[in-house]
């Protein structure tokens, strides 16, 4: 099904929008200026930690971070939750990934990552589209049921901030961008852009990200 949206993502070849966000580790801020003129970087825009697909993807991207660094590309993840909530989560689930907090989704908006309009067709699609991101489940399930099942696999307990984030953010999509040292977007991936709702929870593989990163040197 087509997803009705009100924004268009930044395309390869266009300048990456500026951003300045608090670092999750409390070490000041993280900005586009930290990278421009110094190094290419892979920017992954997640929603709140209530999203089980995002929690899984953060771990997966962190695992591929050393290979990206070997290819000369830094990595930055943006989580859409207040810094203190992110700090609480990563205190118990440490990550090597550099992270910034953006509870208001300002970076998603600047980069044009779509937030679909929840039309009746969209809501029906959530109940009828079966997904199984990365083969985590025994069988494909409707989108909402798949999210719940992955949450149970993780043993994750939502808190009050997660609930507030979810109510404010849903159904925001996620996006990833590869930005060169001059601040130009060279590669982009937007959730559901290729497969509609069947693409919910599907993030690019480590091989896809590395191939895009290595292409910068070609």
């Amino acid at each position: 099904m087509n997803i009705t949206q009100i924004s268009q993502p930044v395309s390869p070849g266009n300048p990456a929008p500026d951003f300045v966000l608090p670092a999750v580790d409390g070490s000041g801020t993280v900005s586009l200026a930290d990278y421009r003129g110094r190094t290419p970087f892979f920017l992954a825009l997640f929603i709140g930690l209530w999203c089980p697909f995002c929690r899984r993807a953060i771990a997966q991207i962190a695992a591929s971070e050393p290979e990206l660094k070997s290819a000369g590309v830094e990595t930055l993840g943006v989580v859409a939750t207040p810094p203190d909530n992110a700090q609480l989560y990563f205190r118990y689930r440490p990550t090597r990934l550099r992270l910034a907090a953006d509870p208001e989704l300002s970076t998603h908006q600047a980069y044009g990552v779509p937030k679909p309009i929840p039309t009746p067709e969209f809501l029906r699609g959530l109940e009828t589209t079966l997904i199984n991101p990365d083969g985590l489940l025994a069988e494909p399930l409707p989108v909402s049921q798949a999210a719940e099942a992955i949450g149970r696999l993780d043993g994750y307990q939502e808190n009050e901030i997660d609930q507030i984030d979810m109510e404010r953010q849903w159904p925001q999509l996620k996006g990833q961008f590869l930005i060169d040292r001059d601040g130009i977007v060279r590669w982009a991936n937007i959730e559901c852009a290729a497969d509609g709702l069947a693409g919910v929870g599907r993030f690019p593989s480590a091989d896809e990200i590395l191939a895009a990163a290595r292409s910068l040197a070609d």
Side-chain angles (χ1 to χ4, degrees), residues 130-202:
L130 304 182
I131 64 169
N132 187 7
D134 300 325
L136 294 171
L137 306 173
E139 60 182 358
L141 295 172
V143 173
S144 57
Q145 292 180 32
E148 293 171 1
I150 293 172
R152 288 194 296 271
L153 287 175
D154 292 344
Y156 184 74
Q157 297 294 320
E158 291 186 0
N159 60 31
E160 184 178 354
I161 294 175
D162 291 329
Q163 186 64 36
I164 293 171
D165 285 345
M166 179 176 64
E167 291 173 357
R168 182 175 66 249
Q169 296 168 3
W170 186 86
Q172 176 68 55
L173 301 179
K174 306 93 177 173
Q176 301 84 39
F177 301 85
L178 188 63
I179 300 167
D180 70 16
R181 68 177 65 251
D182 295 319
I184 303 299
V185 173
R186 294 302 179 190
W187 175 91
N189 179 77
I190 302 297
E191 184 183 31
C192 298
D195 301 314
L197 286 177
V200 168
R202 188 180 301 158

Side-chain angles (χ1 to χ4, degrees), residues 19-35 76 98-101:
F19 60 85
V20 180
L21 301 169
V24 166
D25 65 6
S27 60
T29 60
V30 182
S31 70
L32 180 67
D34 294 342
Y35 300 93
L76 174 65
R98 191 181 192 197
L99 293 165

Side-chain angles (χ1 to χ4, degrees), residues 187 189 203-213:
W187 175 91
N189 179 77
F203 287 79
S205 68
D207 287 344
E208 289 176 281
I209 297 168
L210 286 166

